[in-house]
Amino acid sequence: MATLARRSVRPALVFALLTGWFLLLWPANLPASDVLRTALLLARATMLLLLPGLALVLLLRPFAEGDPLQALCLAPLVSLALFPVLLLWTGLLGGAWGGTAVLVLLGASSLVLLWRLARTPLALPSRGSLLWAGALGGVFALALAVRL
C-alpha cells in the first residue's frame, strides 16, 4: 500500500508543477471574471513563493531525516528571505530584476525540484503531521479568505 502511494505521489507532484507553469505562462491579458483573475494571480504567487525556497531547501537539506511537510512549510520562508538578497546582489552588480530574471529563477528552481524528485525516494508524511498540516493549512486558507 505504501509503495502504491509513493508511486502516485511523484506523478501528482510533476502534474502540479506543470499546471503551475501553464498558469504562470498564461497570456498577459487576465480573464474578465474576478474569481478567475484572483485564482490565476494566486496560482502565480504560489509558484513564486514556493519554488525557489523549495529548491533551496531540497539542495541544502537542513534536516537529515526531513519530513516532506517540513520542507514544504520551510519553502515560503526561505523564498521570502531569498528575494531581498537576490535584489541586493543584482543591484550591486548593476543588473536589473525583471520578468525574464524571474522566469529564469523559476525555471532553475523547477529543474532542481524535478532532479531531486527523480534522484531521491519519497518519504510519505506520517498521519500526525498530516493532521497538523491540515489544521494549519485550514487556518491559512481561512485567513486568506478573510483578507481577500
Side-chain angles (χ1 to χ4, degrees):
M1 179 74 172
T3 58
L4 178 64
R6 284 192 183 123
R7 285 186 198 153
S8 65
V9 168
R10 192 165 285 155
L13 290 174
V14 172
F15 177 74
L17 184 64
L18 290 175
T19 304
W21 268 101
F22 174 73
L23 292 174
L24 186 71
L25 297 175
W26 189 275
N29 54 349
L30 293 173
S33 170
D34 287 339
V35 174
L36 290 176
R37 183 181 306 124
T38 303
L40 184 62
L41 290 175
L42 281 175
R44 290 175 177 177
T46 302
M47 286 274 294
L48 191 60
L49 190 61
L50 285 180
L51 272 182
L54 190 59
L56 202 56
V57 166
L58 290 177
L59 274 178
L60 298 178
R61 288 186 250 154
F63 307 114
E65 298 173 7
D67 196 9
L69 287 175
Q70 287 177 346
L72 196 59
C73 291
L74 191 59
L77 302 173
V78 172
S79 289
L80 287 174
L82 178 70
F83 284 117
V85 173
L86 284 175
L87 288 171
L88 174 72
W89 285 350
T90 54
L92 290 176
L93 295 174
W97 194 256
T100 306
V102 170
L103 286 177
V104 167
L105 175 68
L106 290 177
S109 301
S110 297
L111 289 176
V112 167
L113 184 61
L114 289 173
W115 174 67
R116 294 294 293 170
L117 277 175
R119 282 194 86 215
T120 59
L122 289 175
L124 293 176
S126 65
R127 286 191 187 267
S129 65
L130 280 177
L131 180 67
W132 280 108
L136 291 175
V139 169
F140 174 74
L142 185 63
L144 187 65
V146 168
R147 293 287 177 158
L148 290 179

